[in-house]
Amino acid sequence: MNQPEHSGTAPVGRERKTNRTKRIPAELSRLEAVQTFVEEAFVGETVSEKDICRLLIAFDEIFSNVCRYSNAAEVTVECYMEENKAVLVIEDDGTAFNPLERPQPNVEKSLEEREPGGLGIYMVRKMMDGGTYERKGNRNYLSMILYSQREKQV
Amino acid sequence: MQIDQERQDKKLTLKVSGRLETSTAPDLQKVIDHELDGITELKVDVKEMEYVSSAGLRVLLAATKKMKAKGGIMTIHHANEEVMEVFEITGFNEILNIR
């Protein structure tokens, strides 16, 4: 659970990993640095490499959407493990927007009919095992979860 | 992400390694915009690609359309499981020429 970061006995890095939060300006130029942060938060946990890729894709899609369309000034990213789930929470102070309720794009269109865009959020919904959205005050809270591989095989 | 180019007459092979996503997709777009003159066959080798996000799909779609429009072809080679998963979810496995 939430232990102090500077506990002298247990390995410090481990505790900090359990629940890591980062607050950043909603600017695309920050994307890469925050992805490194997300990756480091989950490496070494019971999250497969493949699932780390999925989490990084999800972060790319949601964060870039927030930066481009939401008028948010700030984004807070939280990464934590809860039992056998990896949880990635993205919080922003932009326009109310629930990505989980977006209509699904038609993914059966031909090459000629395909237009760029609209696929990112759809990918996130398909790749994550679950998610919740909440609007609290003037902030969006999107929480995405992935069960660890072991859990999925049961 | 890294892009290595190999050119042979009208054939261009791009070896794209690493992550093709929002922060790196513009680099691939630049190659597509500037290096396709006289090319009729574009091979994109993604063997060393870790994953692709929708920003990367956008560039692959534009490149496929561009090659088709000029009577050529773009093919994608050696996609790993993560990359294939994204192609399948989005239906891109049907519209890109995956070899």
Side-chain angles (χ1 to χ4, degrees):
Chain A
M1 292 295 286
N2 292 327
Q3 290 172 16
E5 279 191 9
H6 301 291
S7 153
T9 47
V12 173
R14 182 77 198 169
E15 287 154 28
R16 293 170 68 190
K17 268 191 164 184
T18 318
N19 188 340
R20 298 186 60 173
T21 305
K22 197 177 182 77
R23 203 163 68 179
I24 33 147
E27 291 165 11
L28 275 180
S29 60
R30 303 297 179 118
L31 178 58
E32 250 181 311
V34 192
Q35 273 184 313
T36 305
F37 164 81
V38 172
E39 187 174 6
E40 284 173 355
F42 289 114
V43 165
E45 298 288 352
T46 53
V47 185
S48 66
E49 267 181 47
K50 196 170 171 172
D51 278 347
I52 289 177
C53 286
R54 291 189 179 115
L55 288 162
L56 293 174
I57 292 173
F59 184 75
D60 178 320
E61 304 298 349
I62 300 297
F63 184 76
S64 57
N65 232 40
V66 168
C67 294
R68 289 192 177 110
Y69 308 115
S70 79
N71 288 316
E74 191 182 86
V75 174
T76 302
V77 191
E78 191 184 357
C79 304
Y80 62 93
M81 296 298 294
E82 192 179 73
E83 291 163 1
N84 278 327
K85 283 186 305 201
V87 186
L88 173 64
V89 186
I90 302 175
E91 175 194 333
D92 72 80
D93 57 358
T95 322
F97 176 68
N98 181 355
L100 306 176
E101 279 181 356
R102 283 259 303 189
Q104 296 205 353
N106 182 350
V107 293
E108 287 172 4
K109 284 185 178 174
S110 69
L111 175 65
E112 285 70 24
E113 298 168 310
R114 283 289 185 131
E115 293 296 333
L119 285 174
I121 286 170
Y122 176 72
M123 279 166 54
V124 174
R125 284 164 57 181
K126 292 293 248 186
M127 294 174 100
M128 295 292 117
D129 291 329
T132 56
Y133 167 84
E134 266 185 285
R135 178 79 178 173
K136 282 191 268 185
N138 64 345
R139 304 178 85 84
N140 297 303
Y141 293 83
L142 178 66
S143 167
M144 295 173 283
I145 65 161
L146 270 183
Y147 291 104
S148 71
Q149 285 307 116
R150 213 183 324 158
E151 195 81 353
K152 281 177 199 168
Q153 282 162 9
V154 172
Chain B
M1 187 190 66
Q2 194 184 328
I3 305 168
D4 292 321
Q5 302 187 32
E6 273 172 35
R7 201 176 279 267
Q8 205 180 23
D9 299 328
K10 294 177 175 177
K11 221 197 268 185
L12 176 65
T13 302
L14 300 178
K15 288 187 179 169
V16 185
S17 53
R19 300 167 175 182
L20 183 55
E21 55 190 350
T22 297
S23 44
T24 57
D27 296 339
L28 181 59
Q29 184 65 52
K30 261 179 226 160
V31 174
I32 302 298
D33 288 344
H34 298 114
E35 305 292 336
L36 296 187
D37 279 356
I39 299 295
T40 56
E41 197 183 332
L42 174 63
K43 280 187 170 189
V44 181
D45 187 334
V46 296
K47 191 177 176 192
E48 303 294 330
M49 185 182 286
E50 281 180 67
Y51 64 74
V52 58
S53 80
S54 70
L57 291 181
R58 231 165 276 154
V59 180
L60 295 176
L61 176 67
T64 303
K65 283 185 171 180
K66 187 172 179 178
M67 287 306 295
K68 196 175 177 188
K70 58 189 220 159
I73 186 168
M74 174 178 125
T75 51
I76 294 181
H77 301 258
H78 308 121
N80 71 16
E81 236 180 284
E82 284 77 12
V83 173
M84 267 320 286
E85 180 182 31
V86 169
F87 287 161
E88 279 163 11
I89 285 173
T90 54
F92 270 51
N93 56 328
E94 300 291 337
I95 56 176
L96 301 176
N97 303 300
I98 298 165
R99 301 292 149 86

